[in-house]
Amino acid sequence: MEQDDPVEALTELRERRLGALELLQAAAGSGLAAYAVWALLLQPGFRRVPLRLQVLAAHRCGLRPAVGYELNPWLVALARLHAWRAGCAGSVCYRRKDLWKVSLRDCRNVSVFLAPSVLPLLEDKLRTELPAGARVVSGRFPLPTWQPVTAVGEGLDRVWAYDVPEGGQAGEAASSRIPIQAAPGPSSAPIPGGLISQAS
């Protein structure tokens, strides 16, 4: 059995012209790689997000400033495009920041749309940083140990509202910030969103 010299084999590959079948294989491989990146990194952000949890919806309810945090730059760009198309790009802000490094101390309204695996950590962050009377709304997944003040919607469009009482632990408090009501008609749209905050 004859072993090829790696340098010689590389030189032979460089000098060889690709045929139609090889070009088709390279294109198919590139397309498959692009789809894998889309499916793993970008597509999760394009899933249906409850309308009540979007920065644009918070803005329309009168909550100012409306700020959205997202790490994925493609989703930030898409969210900014949606804000521009809705005519509120000047008063709605999307920031590419890590939620865990953002201070929520000045926020009176927080709306979250996160995976259940991080919600226990989020509870600790909210309990530590939010002032008494702040309203937290969680979409699709409830906060694991907090008692909701109210819950509306069904299935994927269900949201839970929590108030942060004196002492910094969420539970049943009287103060209400983000209005929670069932939306008429379709209650979700394909706009990305991770966290929405509103300063007092």
Side-chain angles (χ1 to χ4, degrees), residues 83-152:
W84 175 78
R85 288 178 56 200
C88 54
S91 56
V92 172
C93 178
Y94 293 94
R95 297 183 180 151
R96 185 173 176 245
K97 289 192 175 181
D98 185 349
L99 166 65
W100 308 108
K101 296 178 182 177
V102 172
S103 173
L104 302 176
R105 295 195 185 282
D106 295 329
C107 297
R108 302 293 296 164
N109 295 287
V110 176
S111 179
V112 296
F113 184 75
L114 296 169
S117 60
V118 298
L119 290 178
L121 296 171
L122 180 66
E123 283 182 342
D124 295 338
K125 178 177 178 63
L126 296 174
R127 186 179 293 117
T128 302
E129 296 183 12
L130 291 180
R135 167 64 56 99
V136 177
V137 177
S138 179
R140 199 164 292 168
F141 306 107
L143 297 176
T145 63
W146 291 14
Q147 294 300 313
V149 174
T150 188
V152 296

Side-chain angles (χ1 to χ4, degrees), residues 7-40:
V7 175
E8 185 180 313
L10 185 60
T11 305
E12 182 181 329
L13 282 175
R14 286 184 183 162
E15 293 174 355
R16 188 171 150 208
R17 301 190 109 191
L18 295 178
L21 180 60
E22 292 165 326
L23 283 175
L24 182 63
Q25 289 173 338
S30 298
L32 185 59
Y35 176 77
V37 168
W38 164 261
L40 295 174

Side-chain angles (χ1 to χ4, degrees), residues 11-75:
T11 305
E12 182 181 329
L13 282 175
R14 286 184 183 162
E15 293 174 355
R16 188 171 150 208
R17 301 190 109 191
L18 295 178
L21 180 60
E22 292 165 326
L23 283 175
L24 182 63
Q25 289 173 338
S30 298
L32 185 59
Y35 176 77
V37 168
W38 164 261
L40 295 174
L41 301 177
L42 299 176
Q43 187 181 20
F46 288 94
R47 292 184 187 137
R48 291 167 47 108
V49 176
L51 185 60
R52 296 181 232 16
L53 299 182
Q54 299 170 21
V55 174
L56 294 178
H59 177 267
R60 288 183 189 119
C61 289
L63 300 177
R64 307 282 194 288
V67 180
Y69 296 105
E70 174 62 58
L71 277 177
N72 186 324
W74 297 102
L75 296 180

Side-chain angles (χ1 to χ4, degrees), residues 148-153 158-161 180:
V149 174
T150 188
V152 296
R158 189 162 178 89
V159 296
W160 292 263
I180 304 297

